[in-house]
Amino acid sequence: MTQDSHSHDHPHSLLPSDPELRVKTLESLLVDKGLVDPAALEAFIQVYSEEVGPMNGARVVARAWSDPDYRARLLADGTAAIGELGYGGRQGEHLKVVENTPELHNVVVCTLCSCYPWAVLRLPPAWYKSSAYRARVVREPRSVLREFGLDLSEEVEVRVWDSTSEMRYLVLPQRPEGSESLSEEALAQLVTRDSMIGVSKVLEPGRGDQ
């Protein structure tokens, strides 16, 4: 067997360049070889697309905006408060919620690896796990936030929270102006994953995602 013919036997040589097609092709190869159960894979995808994800965190934020008593409980004990809404489990056991105000903006990082509150934010984005973000947001948070499109005035204090396996953080964003008449469900639709990490703000209704 020549070196070329050997290389063609490897699955990676059959994968297309487009990332989505690569994933689909890899999935098909694993299923064909009996290494992955399609039903189990579909169940896993359903859990992380419908039951675990940023929509959970958005509901937590919307409840806090709508219910002052819940907000107080959330800031006092994040783990217990999100548990009231049925969220918890893996990487959601030790959760502290930090609140943005007109004078204070919080942003979350994990400098050691990528500790992240999966129960309320789903899987971490690639940039959150990157070495550049993990290093730079601690040293120059304002510059990093500007690169995300968030330019804060010098009067606003920026506080960086470093997640660990013992403690993870969720940002409670400021409620946007013009949202006073919205229902809790409608409020949740405004909240983005990035606003709960702290690299963006929640925009006013009708202005779209940041």
Side-chain angles (χ1 to χ4, degrees):
M1 180 181 296
T2 67
Q3 184 175 359
D4 286 343
S5 63
H6 175 76
S7 65
H8 291 167
D9 290 335
H10 286 291
H12 65 72
S13 66
L14 305 177
L15 297 178
S17 58
D18 181 82
E20 184 174 355
L21 291 177
R22 287 173 63 88
V23 170
K24 290 293 185 183
T25 303
L26 181 58
E27 177 184 333
S28 297
L29 288 170
L30 293 173
V31 170
D32 290 343
K33 292 180 178 295
L35 299 176
V36 171
D37 179 356
L41 181 61
E42 182 60 31
F44 181 83
I45 293 173
Q46 183 174 356
V47 166
Y48 277 90
S49 63
E50 299 180 9
E51 299 178 24
V52 177
M55 70 288 293
N56 293 353
R59 293 183 187 117
V60 170
V61 170
R63 176 67 57 86
W65 284 347
S66 305
D67 183 342
D69 290 337
Y70 180 77
R71 172 182 163 277
R73 295 196 300 275
L74 182 67
L75 295 175
D77 188 337
T79 304
I82 68 165
E84 293 179 26
L85 301 187
Y87 309 137
R90 184 180 182 187
Q91 297 207 32
E93 305 94 335
H94 308 290
L95 182 64
K96 179 178 177 62
V97 177
V98 290
E99 183 179 26
N100 283 351
T101 70
E103 297 79 27
L104 172 65
H105 185 88
N106 298 284
V107 62
V108 179
V109 67
C110 177
T111 55
L112 292 179
C113 51
S114 57
C115 291
Y116 191 76
W118 286 26
V120 285
L121 292 187
R122 202 178 180 183
L123 300 176
W127 56 260
Y128 182 86
K129 298 183 288 184
S130 71
S131 57
Y133 174 78
R134 287 158 45 200
R136 290 186 58 223
V137 77
V138 175
R139 299 196 311 266
E140 46 180 349
R142 292 181 185 275
S143 296
V144 173
L145 292 177
R146 276 194 293 270
E147 292 171 14
F148 277 93
L150 181 58
D151 193 2
L152 299 172
S153 70
E154 290 299 323
E155 288 72 30
V156 177
E157 177 188 353
V158 177
R159 189 172 298 170
V160 180
W161 299 86
D162 192 357
S163 292
T164 67
S165 58
E166 287 78 29
M167 183 64 69
R168 294 171 179 83
Y169 297 92
L170 178 74
V171 174
L172 176 59
Q174 286 182 260
R175 181 170 179 166
E177 295 182 4
S179 65
E180 293 78 14
S181 63
L182 296 183
S183 67
E184 190 173 314
E185 181 178 356
L187 287 171
Q189 297 299 314
L190 299 176
V191 183
T192 64
R193 175 201 64 196
D194 288 1
S195 70
M196 294 181 283
I197 298 174
V199 296
S200 75
K201 289 186 176 183
V202 178
L203 299 184
E204 296 175 19
R207 289 189 56 192
D209 295 335
Q210 179 167 339

